[in-house]
Amino acid sequence: NRTIEDALNKIYLDNLTGILNRNFWEDFRNGKIVLKRVVLNSLILIDIDNLKAINDIFGHSTGDECIKNVANALKLCKLPKDIAIRFGGDEFVVLSSYDKNNINIFINEFKNKLLLNKKIKPDVSIGVSFLDDISNIDKAFHIADTKMYEEKKLKKMKKYINIYYEIEDLYKKINEITNNQPSDINSKLLKINEQAENIIKLIQNFITSCSKC
């Protein structure tokens, strides 16, 4: 019945991406939707990095293109009976038949498919867990969510460590210059030097606090 199909599409399909939406996820995890002859071995959680910054700097249309690029990559690399869901604004869930032995095939192929879009190539963080039983789906989601945010935190730490080394290098160069400049220029350079030193301390504190999380 076309009317019923259209109604279900409105309820369960995400308008922007054309994949399943949060409504489907909630009804599936609550047992309202039962999938027959489908073996699900893994839960993959994907989050677009820095989507808010992309929206703020480049506009929401660019942010939407990032979201659609991720959804399209999922459509291209998921297995026929795998379930791809847009969980939230920048998060996606994939319920897949890939298991511990071949999950990396999916992840590598997905990342390669993201690169097919020449204009929009969003960075993503990924967390994976494995389903021993479909009744443990909430636990599996929590495990994947934790792993995803660990990856996201590690990326941020690496970013700040790189910034730290760049500023430290600048700090050393300023110190060298201040020894050979007239006093008026020297005083300005000293102020810049102090600012750089303060930034270094802030980043050191941030890296230390992240490592203790």
Side-chain angles (χ1 to χ4, degrees), residues 74-86:
L74 290 176
K75 291 175 189 176
L76 289 171
C77 67
K78 76 180 185 69
L79 296 173
K81 291 188 177 182
D82 287 354
I83 302 165
I85 303 164
R86 185 182 176 199

Side-chain angles (χ1 to χ4, degrees), residues 22-181:
R22 180 71 173 268
N23 292 331
F24 179 91
W25 165 262
E26 294 298 337
D27 284 353
F28 177 71
R29 65 179 284 272
N30 288 323
K32 294 179 181 179
I33 295 174
V34 178
L35 302 175
K36 297 180 180 179
R37 295 184 296 277
V38 176
V39 177
L40 299 173
N41 295 316
S42 57
L43 187 152
I44 305 142
L45 194 56
I46 300 164
D47 183 272
I48 301 173
D49 295 336
N50 306 311
L51 183 62
K52 184 181 183 303
I54 291 169
N55 286 332
D56 291 344
I57 296 170
F58 302 105
H60 284 272
S61 60
T62 301
D64 286 348
E65 287 302 315
C66 286
I67 293 167
K68 287 191 283 187
N69 188 17
V70 171
N72 290 337
L74 290 176
K75 291 175 189 176
L76 289 171
C77 67
K78 76 180 185 69
L79 296 173
K81 291 188 177 182
D82 287 354
I83 302 165
I85 303 164
R86 185 182 176 199
F87 182 78
D90 56 359
E91 286 189 336
F92 297 79
V93 176
V94 181
L95 298 168
S96 178
S97 55
Y98 283 105
D99 58 25
K100 294 177 182 179
N101 297 317
N102 56 20
I103 190 65
N104 284 333
I105 294 173
F106 171 86
I107 292 173
N108 292 333
E109 189 174 353
F110 168 69
K111 289 181 176 179
N112 288 334
K113 292 292 188 291
L114 283 179
L115 299 177
L116 293 178
N117 190 317
K118 301 301 181 184
K119 295 181 179 179
I120 307 295
K121 299 177 183 178
D123 288 326
V124 296
S125 296
I126 299 173
V128 178
S129 62
F130 298 97
L131 298 164
D132 297 324
D133 189 310
I134 198 65
S135 62
N136 291 329
I137 194 166
D138 287 337
K139 181 181 177 182
F141 183 92
H142 175 72
I143 292 170
D145 190 53
T146 300
K147 289 181 178 178
M148 183 191 72
Y149 278 101
E150 284 175 355
E151 180 177 313
K152 193 176 285 286
K153 184 174 73 173
L154 184 61
K155 284 181 183 177
K156 286 184 178 179
M157 282 190 66
K158 287 180 178 178
K159 176 182 176 182
Y160 281 106
I161 288 169
N162 289 335
I163 293 172
Y164 167 79
Y165 284 123
E166 287 179 16
I167 294 175
E168 188 178 48
D169 183 58
L170 177 64
Y171 175 66
K172 290 177 181 177
K173 289 177 180 177
I174 290 171
N175 269 332
E176 292 173 3
I177 294 170
T178 53
N179 295 325
N180 302 305
Q181 295 296 329

